[in-house]
Amino acid sequence: MAYTHVQTFNPEILYAFDPLNEAGNCSKTHSHNFLEISILLEGEADYLVDGSRQDLRTGTVMLFNPGVKHAERQKEGTFSHQLHIGLTNVSLNGLPRNHFPNKRALLDLGCYADAFMEKAWRVTKEFNEQRSEYQLMGKGLILEMLGLLLRSLEDGSDNTLPPALSQTAVRQQHLVNHAVYYLENHHSEEITLEQLAQQLFVSPAHLS
Amino acid sequence: MAYTHVQTFNPEILYAFDPLNEAGNCSKTHSHNFLEISILLEGEADYLVDGSRQDLRTGTVMLFNPGVKHAERQKEGTFSHQLHIGLTNVSLNGLPRNHFPNKRALLDLGCYADAFMEKAWRVTKEFNEQRSEYQLMGKGLILEMLGLLLRSLEDGSDNTLPPALSQTAVRQQHLVNHAVYYLENHHSEEITLEQLAQQLFVSPAHLS
């Protein structure tokens, strides 16, 4: 089963920025209430990730689920060029909102690493150049990057959590996704809660 | 101004298939009530497009807005490999639902042609191989293709229509897009029409 339901999977990109970090740069230990992907485009960085300090090199990819603590610092004589992407409105089958199925933040993309980095560089270029429709191009590229991340996590990875939601929560998730989908596809009509409920085979009280 | 509002722009892919056409293949004149993109990946084809019969070559891209008539036939001694993509739930600023701003179906992608064809081939590969998350990968690629189409239409093209909607209709379009967006981002809460109306600064009667 795919993690995504393609029609209703519509993440919001909160930011995509690519700082150049010089020696002395550092961030305190923090976490987010959304999803963050951090990519070392160039250079090296010292990260607190998965509970320990690690020296990370070019090509490292980290995916921080909500609440996962991390920090970084730039050691003397080093620099790094990183891309950080913040995402919300991420709904994967069987997982809590804005969660990916990885246990550890440090990812091993295996055979998908080169394609992933190529897209990361193109996102960087789009967001820096800001040509017309750059946000749409960025969204397309980021959806592909998420697809590659999910593929790498599905390919017999030991870094994949089993579905975390109860059956009831999964049913609720599907109900909400389909309500949004129905609304998206009936823009031009007048819709009542009764009609929406009828489409979803629930009582209107369920939706109000 | 961009044609797309990136958070709420969420097209649905109705199909993406790539027939191999041999001599004798033909389709009657027809149109769709959605958006169709047709791409000559390989070979040549005889199309009725923009009101006349035309011999089209590898690399030709056509974008049929709803209601735009077209037909094709495969002449003796020729073949073609085409990719057809059907899309609905397409909302561009100032344009009727499922409409792109092109006057003629035959497009000239100029400097975006190579990048567009590369993505068309990758969509073809994804939908034929059907590996995990291929629909998500396809969606990402198709969003990029739409971005390239819009860029080519914005770059001083003589094939671009001015916005067709009235100011009232544009306001209505924004209202609906924002309602969908609000619903998407408040899944887990109980939402009443009153709260939604409050967010959008309209009366609940507007939404029911």
Side-chain angles (χ1 to χ4, degrees), chain A residues 6-58:
Chain A
V6 71
Q7 276 95 338
T8 57
F9 187 70
N10 186 26
E12 181 187 349
I13 300 158
L14 296 171
Y15 54 79
F17 74 104
D18 63 316
L20 282 164
N21 301 314
E22 296 181 346
N25 268 25
C26 75
S27 78
K28 286 189 184 163
T29 305
H30 67 287
S31 66
H32 313 279
N33 59 1
F34 50 84
L35 196 69
E36 188 181 58
I37 306 174
S38 293
I39 303 150
L40 252 83
L41 295 172
E42 298 177 280
E44 54 195 294
D46 178 23
Y47 256 85
L48 171 69
V49 54
D50 297 325
S52 67
R53 287 242 158 238
Q54 306 204 36
D55 283 316
L56 303 180
R57 292 178 310 174
T58 303

Side-chain angles (χ1 to χ4, degrees), chain B residues 78-128:
Chain B
T78 68
F79 89 103
S80 69
H81 181 196
Q82 303 185 29
L83 173 63
H84 302 286
I85 302 172
L87 297 169
T88 188
N89 200 31
V90 174
S91 178
L92 297 184
N93 285 326
L95 289 168
R97 202 158 173 72
N98 292 333
H99 277 72
F100 252 56
N102 57 311
K103 281 188 249 178
R104 296 179 299 278
L106 261 175
L107 302 181
D108 174 7
L109 270 78
C111 62
Y112 306 108
D114 289 348
F116 185 90
M117 289 307 287
E118 187 251 342
K119 279 165 229 323
W121 275 105
R122 282 175 51 215
V123 167
T124 305
K125 192 168 141 72
E126 288 288 348
F127 278 81
N128 282 317

Side-chain angles (χ1 to χ4, degrees), chain A residues 3-4 6-7 9 12 89 97 112 122 126 131-133 139 144 151 154 181 183-184 187, chain B residues 3-4 6 9 12 89 97 112 122 126 131-133 139 144 151 154 181 183-184 187:
Chain A
Y3 276 111
T4 56
V6 71
Q7 276 95 338
F9 187 70
E12 181 187 349
N89 199 30
R97 202 159 174 71
Y112 306 107
R122 282 176 51 215
E126 288 288 347
R131 298 169 65 192
S132 71
E133 305 297 340
K139 181 169 173 174
E144 284 184 79
R151 274 192 185 159
E154 278 181 357
Y181 175 71
L183 288 168
E184 279 188 339
H187 271 198
Chain B
Y3 277 110
T4 57
V6 71
F9 187 70
E12 181 188 349
N89 200 31
R97 202 158 173 72
Y112 306 108
R122 282 175 51 215
E126 288 288 348
R131 299 169 64 192
S132 71
E133 305 297 341
K139 181 170 172 172
E144 285 182 79
R151 272 191 186 160
E154 277 181 358
Y181 176 70
L183 288 168
E184 279 188 339
H187 272 198

Side-chain angles (χ1 to χ4, degrees), chain B residues 4 36 48 73-74 77 83 92 109 136 140-141 161-162:
Chain B
T4 57
E36 187 180 59
L48 172 69
R73 65 182 170 193
Q74 202 65 43
L83 173 63
L92 297 184
L109 270 78
L136 175 58
L141 286 162
L161 287 166

